[in-house]
Amino acid sequence: MKTIQVKTGGAEYPVFVGRQLLPALRRRIERVAGKRALRLFVLTSPGIWSLWADAFLESFPHDDPPSVLFFDPGEENKRLRAVERLAEQLAESRADRASLLIAFGGGIVGDLGGFLAAIFMRGIDYVQVPTTLLAQVDSSVGGKTGANLAHGKNLVGSFHHPLAVFADIDALATLPARERRAGLFESIKAGIIRDAKLFAFLERNAAAILAGEPAATEYVVAASIKMKAEVVGIDEHENGLRMILNYGHTLGHAIEAATRYKTLLHGEAIAWGMIAATRLGLARKTIAPAQAARIENVILAYGPLPPLRLPVDRLLDAATRDKKNRGGVRRFVLPAGIGNAVVVEDVTDAELRRAAESMLHSAKPRAQAEE
Ligand SMILES: NC(=O)c1ccc[n+]([C@@H]2O[C@H](COP(=O)([O-])OP(=O)(O)OC[C@H]3O[C@@H](n4cnc5c(N)ncnc54)[C@H](O)[C@@H]3O)[C@@H](O)[C@H]2O)c1
Ligand SMILES: [Zn+2]
């Protein structure tokens, strides 16, 4: 097992990565929360619970299991009305300020659970037990919690750090292969922007990692978390360095919005976005051709990426609405070699269009691409 310590101005907490964490969860939670008479509540989805309840409950007394709150999966359910319903359920079950919430699931459960914990009685403790690769390498760490509005994803939320994160890589065994690949694109991102060693590992060990080989998976998950923990430790509220985590996300978010979140998983959209940003970097010479080729090759090795049939104007339109644009300034993260990235603010419309067109050309459905 590896332990990564997250240290920000607002919080300090451990992230545990390893095998067999679920069956010993109660002791592990007591170790971070203390043995005070904790009332434990679990937020999860029915699907995850049906797969993993036995392992989860193993360490809890049979006559005193934690109370379980259910939340249906899907971005359309990550809404304030769900937070209100769950808060009512907590109140109904007499949760109080000393209660602790366990967010057990993918990034949606983690974001919504974290937000519920942030506002229930003005804030209760919670821990993250992420069960998707994306949630383990990315969303469970960093303290961002929230819900969607009709106007866009994650438009309401708050920073609320967990007491600890328990990333049990055994829980990934039931994850569909496509979800696993989608999460791995965030690890590839971590390698490109800040960890050349992780990047080389991902390059060399694609087969083992895609097959879920435990040692390789543990290394990738731990290294990705370490990268994010360092960045968040330096810039908790995304005023500077944390922006590099948005590599691939400017056009990635635009792809998600322009396809109404229906065609691609988040990680897949980010993968296309990283390809576009790399081509932009290549045109600006922030990155050499051989390095850009390595980046694209790794991304494609973790594919296949779903093709995109999208007019460039629709994509550019969505990109200009992105909430990461601050005060009308479009920030763009470009790779600067392997393991390094720069944030630029002066990307012109023409440059963005060229990068988007070039990426969309590669992303065309095959029959069309061969025309
Ligand atoms: N807070 C942050 O910093 C941050 C960062 C990145 C993403 N996010 C958020 O994360 C969310 C996406 O998270 P996600 O990709 O984990 O999606 P998700 O939570 O929807 O999970 C994906 C699917 O996998 C299922 N699943 C989860 N664990 C499983 C398991 N072990 N076995 C089988 N099936 C399992 C889920 O039920 C769901 O159907 C988005 O809402 C995004 O906004 C947040
Ligand atoms: Zn992302």
Side-chain angles (χ1 to χ4, degrees), residues 251-295:
L251 281 174
H253 283 152
I255 291 169
E256 289 185 284
T259 53
R260 301 209 172 82
Y261 301 92
K262 291 204 172 92
T263 329
L264 272 71
L265 298 177
H266 173 72
E268 295 168 340
I270 286 348
W272 283 125
M274 291 194 291
I275 288 177
T278 303
R279 292 184 187 174
L280 215 161
L282 191 59
R284 283 200 165 205
K285 299 194 169 49
T286 63
I287 188 159
Q291 294 172 322
R294 277 178 74 195
I295 291 177

Side-chain angles (χ1 to χ4, degrees), residues 134 138 185-186 189 245-249 253 256 266-267 270:
L134 181 122
D138 191 355
F185 290 121
E186 297 280 6
K189 177 195 81 178
L245 300 178
N246 294 321
Y247 168 57
H249 284 60
H253 283 152
E256 289 185 284
H266 173 72
I270 286 348

